[in-house]
């Protein structure tokens, strides 16, 4: 549906913001671009919308090459971070604007505007001005305005970042339901990993103008492919090690004189490779006695967090965070053993 | 907070020198004597009547009014696209364009007036009215560009992009979306420009000619022959006119956010 091939974008000559960038979004799919500010995710979106002219490469939408088509002829819906509603027009006039530009008039226009208002639950507010609406309502108007033209592709640029935390969760569900109901192919830009995981069919993690990893939310969350993705997706802990053996889907590692086993290492690893081992704070457990895949640690701090308890521990491999259910054995500062779950150890080559 | 005595003393000094001259003129306008004096003797409205009886003032008032309105309108029509270009595009020589457009603010009015006169004389064929008009457009242009630029910069660029994304071309976007949202800025520029033109002496003095004078020039030449309170009465009327205009604009548009 959306096909980006070998795209290169330069704001400054010779300094690419995006380079060798390939991305495919299938029909009806919601793909989010996730990454820190400056990673090129908004640039990608603006290139698709036509506000950024690429230095090279190709963008096609539904088989039509739009790379050189001006932004007002692309038939793509766009929702801005600032909503960008027209302040001098009413809600209904805002929504009608795209139809007006397409020469849709009279009762047909009124009907479609009314339908769009209903779609975003704003019936009866058509006569208001944007300034008279709450942030969430303005967001819905922006959505209605973008989808009323029945675009081939919907682009959303950090649509929730101006809302408070509670509304963000509500709106994100609404956006997803609306997207599924309309079946509109959608590209969603965000820097919020929870939002991306919750809303997407597929998450594309970007860093410095390149794609780090692309996969389902589960894959991205559980099997980060690069240290960057692991850090960005909130893996609290990592340490360095060396591969000693690879067999039967198990990787044997050596780190600071101890050996560990990790299952499901996706990479082509060979004995002797230097690797990073990442694990989440929930993937480890404190124990009183050593066991397989354990290492001796010193408990430094215990923090009660309601349903869970978080420990900060010191080991020969560095400082780790460990999160355990609240009802488990309590560890006070002092020596203990840290058990690492081999299923949840992510091993990736050092580059 | 207790304010010191010096606060009131310095405030008093500022007010005295700022408002004092106006108050003297204001008071002198109501005096009976035929020379401008302060404190005024007696009370009379004759001098106000005299203002309206002096044809020179009436004619030049209309000249100034028409000149101000027309010059401001043209300066805005020419200046708005420039402001749009300066705020929307980066192009080589951008800085130079901005400097050239602010020249009429930086160069003393007398120098502008003199150069304009020389220019018109050299290239002939300009009658006095068009000379005055061109001169005034030139001095108003930078104000128009500046004030309109400020209101363009206050408009979220994504609002325009939203219109383009929805299918409008740049021109339609400008008239349907941009212009309605910078109305207040344009009106502010209009009032500022009009007052600037209406009060201008240094440029008008060079470009006025037989039979065609602006009001300030008419006042100057009147004072060369008479020194009676008529001038004070006219000044009083002009002060009131300006205050009313600016206050109205401030009320309706919030003029001060643009300057």
């Amino acid at each position: 549906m959306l096909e980006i091939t070998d795209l290169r974008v330069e704001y400054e000559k010779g300094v690419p913001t995006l380079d060798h960038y390939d991305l495919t979004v299938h029909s009806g799919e919601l793909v989010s671009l996730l990454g820190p500010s400056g990673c090129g995710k908004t640039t990608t979106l603006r290139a698709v919308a036509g506000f950024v002219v690429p230095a090279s490469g190709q963008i096609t939408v539904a088989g039509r090459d739009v790379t050189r088509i001006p932004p007002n002829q692309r038939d793509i819906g766009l929702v801005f971070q600032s909503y960008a509603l027209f302040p001098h027009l009413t809600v209904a006039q805002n929504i009608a604007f795209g139809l007006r530009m397409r020469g849709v008039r009279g009762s047909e226009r009124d009907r479609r505007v009314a339908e769009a208002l209903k779609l975003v639950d704003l019936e009866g507010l058509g006569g208001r001005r944007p300034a008279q609406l709450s942030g969430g309502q303005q967001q819905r108007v922006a959505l209605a305005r973008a989808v009323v033209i029945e675009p081939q592709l919907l682009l959303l640029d950090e649509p929730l970042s101006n809302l408070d935390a509670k509304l963000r969760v509500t709106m994100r569900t609404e956006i997803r339901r609306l997207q599924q109901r309309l079946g509109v192919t959608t590209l969603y830009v965000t820097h919020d990993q929870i939002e991306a995981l919750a809303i997407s069919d597929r998450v594309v993690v970007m860093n410095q103008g390149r794609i780090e990893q692309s996969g389902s939310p589960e894959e991205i969350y559980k099997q980060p492919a690069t240290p960057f993705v692991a850090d960005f997706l909130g893996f609290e802990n990592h340490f360095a090690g060396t591969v000693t053996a690879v067999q039967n889907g198990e990787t044997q590692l050596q780190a600071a004189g101890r050996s560990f086993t990790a299952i499901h290492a996706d990479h082509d690893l060979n004995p002797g490779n230097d690797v990073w081992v990442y694990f989440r704070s929930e993937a480890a457990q404190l124990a009183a006695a050593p066991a397989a895949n354990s290492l001796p640690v010193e408990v430094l701090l215990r923090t009660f967090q309601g349903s869970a308890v978080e420990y900060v521990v010191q080991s020969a491999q560095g400082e780790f965070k460990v999160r355990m259910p609240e009802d488990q054995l309590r560890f006070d500062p002092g020596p203990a053993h840290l058990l690492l779950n081999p299923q949840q150890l992510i091993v990736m080559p050092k580059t | 907070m207790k304010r010191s005595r010096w606060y009131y003393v310095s405030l008093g000094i500022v007010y005295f020198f700022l408002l004092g001259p106006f108050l003297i003129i204001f008071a002198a306008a109501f005096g009976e004597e035929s020379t401008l004096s302060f404190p005024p003797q007696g009370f009379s409205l004759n001098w106000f009547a005299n203002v309206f009886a002096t044809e020179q003032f009436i004619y030049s008032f209309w000249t100034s009014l028409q000149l101000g309105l027309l010059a401001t309108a043209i300066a805005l029509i020419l200046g708005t696209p420039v402001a749009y270009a300066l705020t929307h595009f980066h192009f080589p020589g951008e800085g130079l364009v901005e400097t050239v457009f602010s020249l009429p603010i930086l160069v003393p009015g007398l120098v502008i007036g003199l150069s304009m006169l020389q220019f018109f004389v050299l290239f002939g064929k300009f009658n006095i009215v068009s000379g005055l008009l061109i001169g005034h457009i030139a001095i108003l242009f930078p104000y128009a560009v500046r004030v309109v630029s400020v209101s363009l910069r206050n408009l979220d660029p994504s609002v325009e992009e939203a219109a383009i994304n929805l299918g409008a071309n740049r021109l339609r976007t400008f008239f349907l979306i941009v212009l309605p949202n910078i109305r207040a800025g344009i009106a502010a520029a209009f009032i500022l420009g009009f007052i600037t033109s209406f009060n201008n002496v240094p440029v008008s003095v060079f470009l006025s000619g037989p039979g065609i004078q602006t009001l300030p020039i008419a006042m100057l030449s009147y004072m060369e022959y008479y020194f009676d309170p008529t001038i004070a009465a006219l000044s009083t009327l002009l002060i009131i006119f300006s205050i009313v205009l600016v206050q109205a604009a401030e009320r309706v548009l919030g003029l001060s956010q643009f300057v």
Side-chain angles (χ1 to χ4, degrees):
Chain A
M1 177 66 201
L2 168 66
E3 197 94 38
I4 302 178
T5 321
D6 200 19
L7 193 71
R8 182 180 168 95
V9 173
E10 301 174 347
Y11 286 117
E12 212 178 310
K13 226 176 167 53
V15 190
T17 304
L18 293 177
D19 203 8
H20 300 301
Y21 189 87
D22 296 296
L23 178 72
T24 304
V25 182
H26 301 292
S27 191
E29 198 181 22
L30 192 156
V31 170
S32 43
L33 301 178
L34 173 66
S37 58
C39 73
K41 57 191 193 296
T42 294
T43 301
T44 308
L45 185 113
R46 292 178 62 81
V48 174
F51 292 118
V52 169
V53 179
S56 64
Q58 199 188 37
I59 301 169
T60 62
V61 177
R64 170 183 176 225
D65 183 354
V66 297
T67 320
R68 304 284 150 196
I69 303 243
N72 59 331
Q73 291 162 25
R74 287 202 182 185
D75 207 24
I76 290 173
L78 177 53
V79 174
F80 291 83
Q81 187 174 4
S82 62
Y83 318 141
L85 300 179
F86 309 129
H88 64 297
L89 300 180
T90 64
V91 167
Q93 287 169 330
N94 263 277
I95 296 173
F97 191 84
L99 297 172
R100 204 169 136 199
M101 293 303 114
R102 280 162 180 70
V104 179
R105 52 188 83 241
S107 57
E108 158 82 355
R109 186 158 89 198
D110 296 344
R111 184 183 60 76
R112 284 173 70 176
V113 169
E115 260 173 26
L117 275 170
K118 195 175 164 195
L119 192 68
V120 295
D121 261 336
L122 286 178
E123 288 161 296
L125 295 186
R128 300 262 185 103
R129 304 247 165 204
Q132 296 169 294
L133 302 180
S134 69
Q137 289 173 325
Q138 292 187 30
Q139 178 60 266
R140 288 159 201 241
V141 177
L143 263 172
R145 186 178 67 176
V147 298
V148 75
I149 57 171
E150 292 169 6
Q152 294 176 308
L153 183 66
L154 180 63
L155 307 176
L156 300 149
D157 185 11
E158 308 241 5
L160 304 181
S161 59
N162 285 335
L163 301 175
D164 63 58
K166 207 176 146 201
L167 201 53
R168 219 175 293 164
V169 176
T170 320
M171 275 310 291
R172 131 186 134 199
T173 316
E174 275 189 41
I175 290 178
R176 179 57 161 164
R177 286 171 64 184
L178 183 79
Q179 186 267 337
Q180 286 183 332
R181 182 138 42 119
L182 299 174
V184 59
T185 312
T186 302
L187 192 60
Y188 187 104
V189 163
T190 180
H191 64 270
D192 182 339
Q193 44 132 335
I194 297 169
E195 199 175 301
L197 296 173
I199 206 172
S200 318
D201 293 308
R202 195 149 54 86
V203 178
V204 173
V205 185
M206 290 180 62
N207 179 34
Q208 295 182 337
R210 285 175 299 104
I211 292 176
E212 291 272 340
Q213 188 177 359
S214 164
S216 71
E218 289 80 4
E219 278 168 1
I220 297 283
Y221 186 81
K222 291 180 183 164
Q223 293 286 326
T226 67
F228 176 84
V229 177
D231 283 332
F232 200 77
L233 270 292
F235 277 71
E236 297 92 339
N237 308 307
H238 69 272
F239 60 88
T242 311
V243 177
T244 51
V246 184
Q247 57 176 349
N248 306 331
E250 282 187 13
T251 307
Q252 301 298 327
L253 306 159
Q254 189 90 32
R258 303 192 71 85
S259 34
F260 300 94
T261 306
I263 301 174
H264 289 314
D266 270 350
H267 302 280
D268 295 329
L269 293 169
N270 293 304
N273 284 164
D274 285 329
V275 291
W276 288 116
V277 182
Y278 276 79
F279 64 98
R280 290 190 181 272
S281 60
E282 301 90 347
Q285 252 186 316
L286 284 173
N293 253 22
S294 82
L295 65 160
V297 294
E298 180 83 14
V299 174
L300 300 179
L301 187 69
R302 175 183 186 274
T303 324
F304 177 66
Q305 294 184 339
S307 61
V309 178
E310 192 177 274
Y311 293 96
V312 177
V313 301
Q314 178 72 50
S315 73
Q317 285 81 5
E319 216 173 83
F320 297 136
K321 270 189 189 155
V322 181
R323 211 175 147 79
M324 295 204 298
E326 187 269 329
D327 53 7
Q328 300 221 339
L329 185 63
R330 176 189 173 117
F331 288 84
D332 287 309
H337 291 270
L338 187 66
L339 269 55
L340 303 177
N341 181 349
Q343 312 267 9
Q344 290 175 290
L345 286 184
I346 309 300
V347 181
M348 49 188 94
K350 266 191 192 178
T351 42
Chain B
M1 193 181 79
K2 194 177 175 300
R3 290 183 166 127
S4 75
R5 199 165 2 135
W6 289 109
Y7 174 83
Y8 291 103
V9 170
S10 50
L11 196 69
I13 291 173
V14 168
Y15 273 121
F16 180 73
F17 283 103
L18 264 182
L19 298 177
F22 290 119
L23 291 175
I24 287 178
I25 285 292
F26 188 71
F30 294 96
E32 268 178 342
E33 283 183 35
S34 62
T35 50
L36 202 55
S37 62
F38 187 86
Q41 308 289 315
F43 178 84
S44 150
L45 290 175
N46 287 345
W47 306 114
F48 285 92
N50 198 34
V51 168
F52 293 99
T54 311
E55 268 192 8
Q56 197 184 351
F57 290 149
I58 302 303
Y59 281 136
S60 60
F61 174 80
W62 286 117
T63 307
S64 277
L65 189 69
Q66 288 170 327
L67 178 67
L69 292 176
L70 193 60
T72 311
I74 295 175
L76 272 172
I77 290 168
L78 297 176
T80 303
V82 174
Y84 186 85
L86 286 174
T87 49
H88 285 68
F89 307 113
H90 291 288
F91 47 90
E94 198 182 344
L96 186 69
V97 170
E98 268 198 284
T99 311
V100 169
F101 286 147
S102 44
L103 269 183
I105 296 180
L106 304 173
V107 175
L110 277 174
V111 176
I112 300 173
L114 181 62
S115 355
M116 291 260 173
L117 181 64
Q118 284 296 325
F119 182 84
F120 292 147
V121 166
L122 270 178
F123 292 94
K125 304 289 182 283
F126 287 95
N127 61 31
I128 291 168
V129 174
S130 36
L132 260 178
L133 187 60
I134 292 170
H136 276 233
I137 292 168
I139 52 170
L140 300 184
F141 190 69
Y143 291 99
V145 172
R146 279 190 177 223
V147 179
V148 175
S149 295
V150 170
S151 47
L152 282 171
R153 286 204 179 96
N154 286 339
L155 184 65
D156 178 3
S158 49
V159 168
E160 271 177 81
E161 288 182 343
I164 291 170
N165 169 256
L166 289 167
N169 58 29
R170 275 217 177 264
L171 201 65
R172 282 184 101 176
T173 302
F174 180 79
F175 284 104
L176 293 176
I177 302 299
V178 178
L179 204 53
N181 283 301
I182 61 165
R183 277 184 310 217
I186 301 248
F190 197 95
I191 287 164
L192 276 178
F194 176 75
I195 290 174
T196 306
S197 159
F198 198 82
N199 292 336
N200 181 274
V201 170
V203 174
S204 302
V205 80
F206 283 100
L207 303 177
S208 291
I212 295 170
Q213 277 185 324
T214 62
L215 186 56
I217 306 304
M219 289 167 74
L220 272 178
S221 58
Y222 184 89
M223 280 194 288
E224 283 176 34
Y225 301 102
Y226 311 97
F227 200 61
D228 63 32
T230 308
I231 271 309
L234 177 53
S235 306
T236 303
L237 293 173
L238 286 179
I239 291 167
I240 293 168
F241 176 66
S242 300
I243 289 175
V244 168
L245 201 62
V246 171
Q247 276 304 310
E250 180 64 54
R251 281 281 160 75
V252 181
L253 311 161
L255 192 64
S256 42
Q257 62 179 307
F258 298 103
V259 285

